[in-house]
Amino acid sequence: MILNGHLDVVPGTPEQFTARREGERLYGRGTQDMKVSALVMAYVFAELAPVLPYPLALQLVTDEEVGGRNGTLHQLEQGVTGQFVVIGEQSGLEIVTDSKGILQARLAATGRAAHSAYPWQGDNALLTIMEAVRALHQAYPLPQTEAWATTVNLARLDTPNSAFNQVPASAEAWLDIRFPPGEPGFDGRTAEQIAAHLGDICGPGITVTVEHADAPHHADRARPEVAALRHAAQAQGFPAGFLRKHGAADGRFYSQRGIDAVIFGIGGAGLHGPDEYADLTTVMPYYRALRELLQGLPGRP
């Protein structure tokens, strides 16, 4: 059994790094995502690891927010492994068994510079990139409400051109794409196949480079450990329903290797935002649920 948490956070304003309590809310960068859950995991590990009849690991990494490849993935590649993983990402004591896949790609276009007063003498690379992004959003429309569908985020649009009166000769776009299981063109495809798929949509004049591509995360809801976790959370008065997450977490690295990992953490709101907070009413129930889960599992045969 592995308890997995991450200690890194996304950027915030200086005041967010001084936590403040207002009633049953603890405000601050990383409170919900996921320092409080990680702290509880550390307490539970220190208390139970010496006495449990099976191996228990505490895995704290520092790069989850930037991809997790130098933390959880690196450790897996070095042989660190387990049979079941609980990841302390925020969930309000619900259980996340499915998360979208993630890929990051760059689009590049090369045109021909010209004086902006004579645009017909040039080929505007920025316009080529913009048409490609438009084609991608036609293929994968941006949802107006929450939807279990593929989304394409245009994260950056750039050109080295530095003059108002020049037609840009080159341009680049950054894309962050999230996709559910079974999405044709993405799920189960290699980086080269995904690049070809995106290139077909973008049309001529676009070079696609896939930086990273990770398959969706899935855990078997019928596992005894999942049933035990649900029972432990329900004993604390929480419904412990199953959730699907649009964001990716380090559980995908375990899932890719056939190891079931679930997300189970405290409550709160506002992760990555200016008003992020942890719901302190969920902290002790979370602590007790983790203890009950770990103490209720049988020892290794």
Side-chain angles (χ1 to χ4, degrees):
M1 173 76 75
I2 296 175
L3 303 178
N4 172 286
H6 71 86
L7 305 181
D8 56 321
V9 296
V10 297
T13 56
E15 59 270 18
Q16 284 183 289
F17 291 92
T18 300
R20 73 181 193 277
R21 179 172 181 171
E22 295 183 8
E24 294 300 330
R25 294 181 175 183
L26 182 67
Y27 287 89
R29 172 58 77 234
T31 50
Q32 185 201 19
D33 182 25
M34 54 161 285
K35 306 304 131 342
V36 173
S37 291
L39 181 61
V40 174
M41 285 182 158
Y43 267 103
V44 171
F45 173 80
E47 292 172 347
L48 297 185
V51 298
L52 290 174
Y54 57 85
L56 176 66
L58 177 66
Q59 184 179 50
L60 299 177
V61 298
T62 57
D63 70 329
E64 191 273 348
E65 296 291 4
V66 292
R69 296 179 180 278
N70 296 317
T72 297
L73 178 59
H74 172 74
Q75 292 183 31
L76 275 164
E77 291 174 340
Q78 298 304 310
V80 176
T81 188
Q83 294 175 313
F84 188 71
V85 185
V86 177
I87 297 175
E89 294 279 5
Q90 68 288 340
S91 74
L93 274 74
E94 305 276 42
I95 300 171
V96 179
T97 57
D98 293 274
S99 305
K100 286 182 178 178
I102 177 175
L103 71 93
Q104 280 143 9
R106 297 174 188 259
L107 308 183
T110 301
R112 186 173 65 256
H115 193 294
S116 62
Y118 308 92
W120 53 86
Q121 295 179 357
D123 180 11
N124 194 316
L126 266 177
L127 292 180
T128 303
I129 286 283
M130 291 167 60
E131 287 299 322
V133 172
R134 187 174 294 111
L136 285 169
H137 281 155
Q138 288 176 344
Y140 302 104
L142 293 175
Q144 299 304 305
T145 58
E146 183 174 351
W148 193 244
T150 295
T151 57
V152 178
N153 176 57
L154 175 61
R156 182 169 178 171
L157 187 62
D158 197 14
T159 177
N161 182 51
S162 59
F164 276 95
N165 61 344
Q166 187 175 37
V167 174
S170 63
E172 183 181 69
W174 294 4
L175 303 177
D176 183 280
I177 301 176
R178 309 299 174 104
F179 57 95
E183 180 66 75
F186 298 132
D187 194 9
R189 302 301 183 105
T190 66
E192 292 76 17
Q193 291 171 327
I194 292 171
H197 172 67
L198 293 174
D200 289 341
I201 297 173
C202 292
I206 297 293
T207 300
V208 181
T209 303
V210 174
E211 299 286 323
H212 298 294
D214 290 315
H217 148 250
H218 172 73
D220 182 5
R221 295 181 177 182
R223 279 191 71 112
E225 295 93 338
V226 176
L229 182 57
R230 292 196 75 194
H231 181 271
Q234 289 167 350
Q236 300 303 316
F238 290 81
F242 290 122
L243 295 180
R244 300 184 300 190
K245 280 210 168 192
H246 300 281
D250 282 357
R252 69 191 188 276
F253 300 127
Y254 285 102
S255 184
Q256 291 164 11
R257 288 158 175 79
I259 302 168
D260 280 336
V262 299
I263 290 173
F264 180 71
I266 63 162
L271 72 160
H272 293 197
D275 298 312
E276 179 183 0
Y277 71 88
D279 180 356
L280 297 180
T281 66
T282 65
V283 174
M284 287 306 297
Y286 180 61
Y287 166 80
R288 290 191 290 264
L290 281 180
R291 281 184 59 95
E292 180 176 329
L293 165 69
L294 297 173
Q295 290 177 312
L297 296 177
R300 177 180 291 176

